[in-house]
Amino acid sequence: TKRYRLGVISDTHLGSLYSQKTHMQDFFETFKRESCDAVLHPGDLVHGSHHMHKGMEYELGIHGARAQTAYAVEHIPDIGIPGYIISGNHDLSFRKDAGAEVVQDFADQRDDWTYLGDEGAMFEIGGAKVYMWHGGSGSYAKSYNLQKWAESVAPENKPHVMLNGHLHFQC
């Protein structure tokens, strides 16, 4: 019976030259002003390893897992609202390179964030099932990946809210 207000931000790609830090700060101020009950981040907290794809070293302003994690710890505002986060493919590129767990390390250093796992997590907020996913690919329709996922899940396991990071658009 209680209503919950959720703030959602994804694919912040901290460490990238193209990360929108000013917009991110504005979003967090909005989450606080709107009295959100939780902030949800479905992956790609950091931009990741320069090995991820050809030419990525030219996109990085901050290099390395430790430096990008420290940057995220410093620049994700603590607004007094609990946050829930999963790792995305860019975050996991550091695990592939050297076993670094950047999102888990971020959450371990912050009392306000909870790490829920890699690329997908089902959890509850106030009795509502929430599923965060970081995956999918570009297709002819923005909703295609979400529709296919929803069709594959048994009715009793379907979430009330589903968030999909990775694709950089709202659907």
Side-chain angles (χ1 to χ4, degrees):
T1 59
K2 182 181 184 306
R3 295 178 63 118
Y4 286 84
R5 187 168 292 214
L6 304 175
V8 179
I9 189 166
S10 184
D11 295 270
T12 47
H13 289 271
L14 296 172
S16 167
L17 293 171
Y18 308 106
S19 177
Q20 297 290 312
K21 190 172 79 170
T22 302
H23 291 300
M24 181 187 72
Q25 299 289 338
D26 291 344
F27 281 121
F28 277 91
E29 288 174 18
T30 300
F31 299 155
K32 184 173 183 174
R33 184 177 62 249
E34 294 294 328
S35 300
C36 289
D37 296 292
V39 176
L40 309 179
H41 192 309
D44 284 352
L45 173 68
V46 299
H47 200 50
S49 167
H50 68 280
H51 293 122
M52 188 150 178
H53 60 75
K54 185 177 172 136
M56 190 158 142
E57 63 271 18
Y58 303 112
E59 299 173 10
L60 291 170
I62 299 170
H63 295 264
R66 283 190 183 148
Q68 287 186 29
T69 302
Y71 188 83
V73 168
E74 180 181 345
H75 287 92
I76 295 284
D78 182 349
I79 57 173
I81 298 169
Y84 300 91
I85 189 167
I86 62 172
S87 296
N89 60 315
H90 281 258
D91 306 315
L92 293 171
S93 67
F94 283 125
R95 178 190 294 163
K96 183 178 177 185
D97 272 6
E101 302 287 348
V102 295
V103 177
Q104 186 171 3
D105 291 346
F106 163 80
D108 287 347
Q109 294 177 54
R110 297 283 299 259
D111 293 333
D112 53 333
W113 284 89
T114 300
Y115 172 69
L116 298 174
D118 298 340
E119 295 185 316
M122 182 84 76
F123 59 103
E124 286 194 18
I125 294 179
K129 287 191 283 190
V130 177
Y131 183 64
M132 287 196 302
W133 181 43
H134 192 88
S137 60
S139 59
Y140 71 95
K142 289 182 177 183
S143 63
Y144 180 79
N145 291 298
L146 301 175
Q147 289 172 329
K148 287 300 178 190
W149 183 86
E151 289 172 3
S152 72
V153 176
E156 64 274 10
N157 294 329
K158 288 188 191 308
H160 298 103
V161 176
M162 181 176 178
L163 302 171
N164 185 189
H166 185 62
L167 300 176
H168 298 208
F169 59 75
Q170 180 178 338
C171 176

